[in-house]
Amino acid sequence: MGSLLLTTMPRQDETFTSFLLRTCQENEYESLSWITNLIGIDIRQLAKPNPNKFNLEPLAQLLRIDESVLWSLTFHNDIKFFESSGGPCSFKDHANTEYDKICPVCFERDPYVKKVWNLKINMGCPIHTLRLINKCPKCNKKISSIRSDINKCNCGFKLIHLPKIHLTDSEVLHSKIITNAFFGKSLYEVPGNSPINQLSYYSLTKLIHSFWYRINDGRNGIGINQINTENQKVFEQLIAVYNMFLNWPCNFKNTLNKSDSKTFIPNIKRDFYTKLSDPEFLVFIEEFRSYLEKEEKRPVIFRNFNTESKLMSLGNVIKLLNMGHPSINNLIKNGILVEYKQIHNDSFSTRSITIESINKFLEMKKYIVFKKELANSLGLTTKHINLFEENGWIKRIEIFSEKNDKKSYYDIRFADKLVSKLEKNIIMIPEEKSKEPTFISFSNFHNRAAVRGISFIELIEGLLNGAVNIYKVKGSKPFLSYYFELKEVLSYIKVYRYEKFLESKVSLRNVEVCEVLRLSPYQLTSWVRLGFLKNTEKNTFEYQELKAFVDQFVPLNELLKRYKTSYANIANALRKEGIHPVSGYTVNEGAGYLFKRTELDKHNLGIPKINLKKRVLELISAENRCKL
């Protein structure tokens, strides 16, 4: 792959898509699709590159930039954290990568998008004390992060003309708190002694997320992942959550006192039992315990939090893994997830899962796919996956469901290992060459091999052993991109059948049996129907079955060949000797007459036995007009 003529260096705090948009502008490309087409990915993938499913190496080569620099522009570290943390929020509650929020003044001075702007719980720019805008005033749609032009909305509106809405003093304070937490240092001075100022960014996100649901209509309201700074009601709700922890602890206690919901206090208690049990929240926990003691006028035995405990509530596990109760219970039953159940003094019972077992499962889950996904990744069908499973090449994963479940899960790493072995000595060819008549596709090779008794598994084993050279064209899935030289394929099939012949295990098709026994298809079908010959489920004939047939029976055509006379003369001569056919039109309406060899041998008629070995060998040697 080549590289772009002009490349620009990313800003330290810039988003991934913002950098790519500036690069497109520098190279005078009309849109991001120019870059995505060069590296062969869907443009929508740029909005949320997942480190587990996204490869930035081709893009790094194209831009002549170290891959680690590109990853630093994404939220990949945050994705990993939210996949493995104790919740309660997921990555979608943390940042929005599909749409941009913009400070009009910052953008006017230097048109690029900062990562900190796109945090869900960030509302403003602390530098210019302006609200971040995420909706275009012209088309009233969110500003796409993969728009055509860094400076314009997709509708053509110039983003330097976004409205400038000033923040209140408290709103500026909130923006400073989240910015300091995100960068992990005091970039802005924050007055007061609220413990919220000391929280790490991830802990701050957990705290805001949890209390968002407690003071804003619960889970029936708008989710924090739907926050829109243009929606004044939602904006005020987020402000209310922040204000709860300012002027500590007065605002906190006032919020508790003013709530008229019967579930408000119990739900907060539940949160501190489960979601917010980390050491960073001990100040909040202690203040809440103190409040409960004053209200209930008795000592409150609040849970002694084990700072070494690494648990996640069952509800959060279901949300994190996006799975139902039955599947989670099955994972627990199979020992994949480790459950911790605790009944407290107030008879409140909690089911939790250890973070360690969740992390192990998440690592495992990255490689678990449906049967159809595994087949698609290889360029095969589900029938081929069944063959791999039947022959012990791969095992079905049954940690999610019972054996009788129609859903089948497999480890995608099987495909990687198989392809790696097959492509050990791969030969790359241009697509034009693969279309030449001297090359055939894997599907064609498979069909040719199958009709000559070579099973799919035997064919794959032959490829792994280097029986033929594998040629590959760029761009397609493995088996869809494999090609073979026709002469090598014919030679391989011939050698395979010869080896089977030496083992007396060769299988012959109907047309080949007719050629070996000098029969018509009608005769062969008739004798199979009457039980004189047996074929396999694949409608082929095993060598040993044919050998038993020629040892036991003599077709009329062999007698005609021996005596070189007419059928009437042979029939009369045999009838005089008391020899009668066991099959034929006058006997059982069979096609072609058949005699028992034992009856002929009794009368010393000197009928030679069919040299089956010689005839089969001649058939294999002459196959495809190639010499053995």
Side-chain angles (χ1 to χ4, degrees), residues 448-511:
R448 288 172 180 266
V451 297
R452 288 165 176 80
I454 305 175
S455 70
F456 171 74
I457 294 297
E458 288 174 323
L459 177 57
I460 299 299
E461 287 176 337
L463 295 180
L464 290 173
N465 293 327
V468 293
N469 288 320
I470 304 177
Y471 298 84
K472 183 179 181 181
V473 297
K474 188 177 179 181
S476 300
K477 295 172 183 177
F479 282 91
L480 296 178
S481 63
Y482 292 163
Y483 288 84
F484 307 85
E485 282 196 89
L486 180 58
K487 63 180 182 180
E488 289 187 6
V489 169
L490 299 179
S491 177
Y492 163 74
I493 292 174
K494 182 178 57 177
V495 170
Y496 170 88
R497 301 191 80 198
Y498 180 69
E499 290 175 350
K500 289 294 182 181
F501 167 74
L502 295 179
E503 300 172 4
S504 298
K505 293 180 180 179
V506 69
S507 298
L508 301 181
R509 294 170 292 154
N510 286 12
V511 64

Side-chain angles (χ1 to χ4, degrees), residues 123-136:
M123 302 164 294
C125 171
I127 301 174
H128 303 109
T129 65
L130 293 175
R131 186 184 298 188
L132 298 174
I133 306 300
N134 66 345
K135 254 190 177 183
C136 171

Side-chain angles (χ1 to χ4, degrees), residues 47-290:
K48 41 186 176 182
N50 189 319
N52 302 327
K53 303 176 181 179
F54 199 81
N55 182 13
L56 288 183
E57 184 179 355
L59 184 60
Q61 294 176 1
L62 181 70
L63 301 177
R64 301 195 299 273
I65 292 178
D66 189 88
E67 186 179 352
S68 62
V69 175
L70 291 179
W71 279 120
S72 70
L73 302 178
T74 72
F75 285 101
H76 78 286
N77 285 330
D78 308 277
I79 293 173
K80 288 182 177 180
F81 175 83
F82 284 106
E83 281 184 347
S84 59
S85 71
C89 46
S90 62
F91 175 73
K92 69 178 182 179
D93 302 315
H94 150 69
N96 190 357
T97 56
E98 298 180 44
Y99 304 98
D100 285 337
K101 288 191 289 187
I102 294 173
C103 168
V105 176
C106 284
F107 195 81
E108 184 178 359
R109 294 179 180 178
D110 192 355
Y112 78 95
V113 181
K114 299 180 181 181
K115 286 176 69 176
V116 70
W117 290 349
N118 283 348
L119 302 180
K120 287 291 180 70
I121 59 175
N122 190 16
M123 302 164 294
C125 171
I127 301 174
H128 303 109
T129 65
L130 293 175
R131 186 184 298 188
L132 298 174
I133 306 300
N134 66 345
K135 254 190 177 183
C136 171
K138 180 181 177 181
C139 64
N140 203 33
K141 293 181 179 179
K142 291 183 179 179
I143 302 169
S144 173
S145 63
I146 52 174
R147 54 193 179 275
S148 300
D149 190 327
I150 183 73
N151 297 298
K152 298 177 183 178
C153 173
N154 283 332
C155 70
F157 179 80
K158 292 184 178 181
L159 300 179
I160 59 172
H161 298 315
L162 289 171
K164 299 178 178 64
I165 304 174
H166 287 276
L167 300 173
T168 64
D169 290 343
S170 63
E171 291 167 358
V172 174
L173 183 59
H174 305 151
S175 184
K176 289 180 178 179
I177 292 172
I178 186 64
T179 303
N180 286 346
F182 182 72
F183 288 102
K185 53 186 176 181
S186 297
L187 298 174
Y188 304 97
E189 184 178 352
V190 178
N193 60 346
S194 173
I196 198 175
N197 300 338
Q198 309 303 320
L199 291 178
S200 67
Y201 168 68
Y202 296 116
S203 294
L204 177 61
T205 304
K206 289 168 69 174
L207 183 72
I208 298 300
H209 181 277
S210 296
F211 278 87
W212 167 271
Y213 285 113
R214 298 302 166 229
I215 69 176
N216 292 317
D217 301 324
R219 293 188 179 273
N220 293 323
I222 298 175
I224 199 169
N225 62 317
Q226 301 175 42
I227 287 179
N228 181 351
T229 57
E230 298 299 299
N231 186 321
Q232 188 60 31
K233 180 182 177 181
V234 176
F235 187 79
E236 291 173 356
Q237 287 179 337
L238 187 57
I239 294 296
V241 178
Y242 273 107
N243 287 341
M244 184 177 180
F245 300 102
L246 299 181
N247 191 24
W248 183 263
C250 296
N251 290 4
F252 181 70
K253 292 180 178 179
N254 288 338
T255 304
L256 297 177
N257 288 325
K258 290 179 181 178
S259 175
D260 55 1
S261 172
K262 294 181 180 179
T263 60
F264 183 65
I265 299 299
N267 282 339
I268 292 180
K269 186 176 182 181
R270 182 192 295 268
D271 288 342
F272 282 132
Y273 269 127
T274 55
K275 305 172 185 176
L276 305 175
S277 60
D278 298 338
E280 282 193 270
F281 299 111
L282 289 177
V283 175
F284 301 92
I285 294 168
E286 183 59 27
E287 192 62 46
F288 183 64
R289 186 196 63 78
S290 175

Side-chain angles (χ1 to χ4, degrees), residues 551-569:
D551 286 345
Q552 190 175 358
F553 302 103
V554 178
L556 176 61
N557 63 313
E558 292 295 323
L559 295 175
L560 293 173
K561 180 182 176 183
R562 171 72 176 81
Y563 292 107
K564 298 179 181 179
T565 185
S566 66
Y567 162 70
N569 291 336

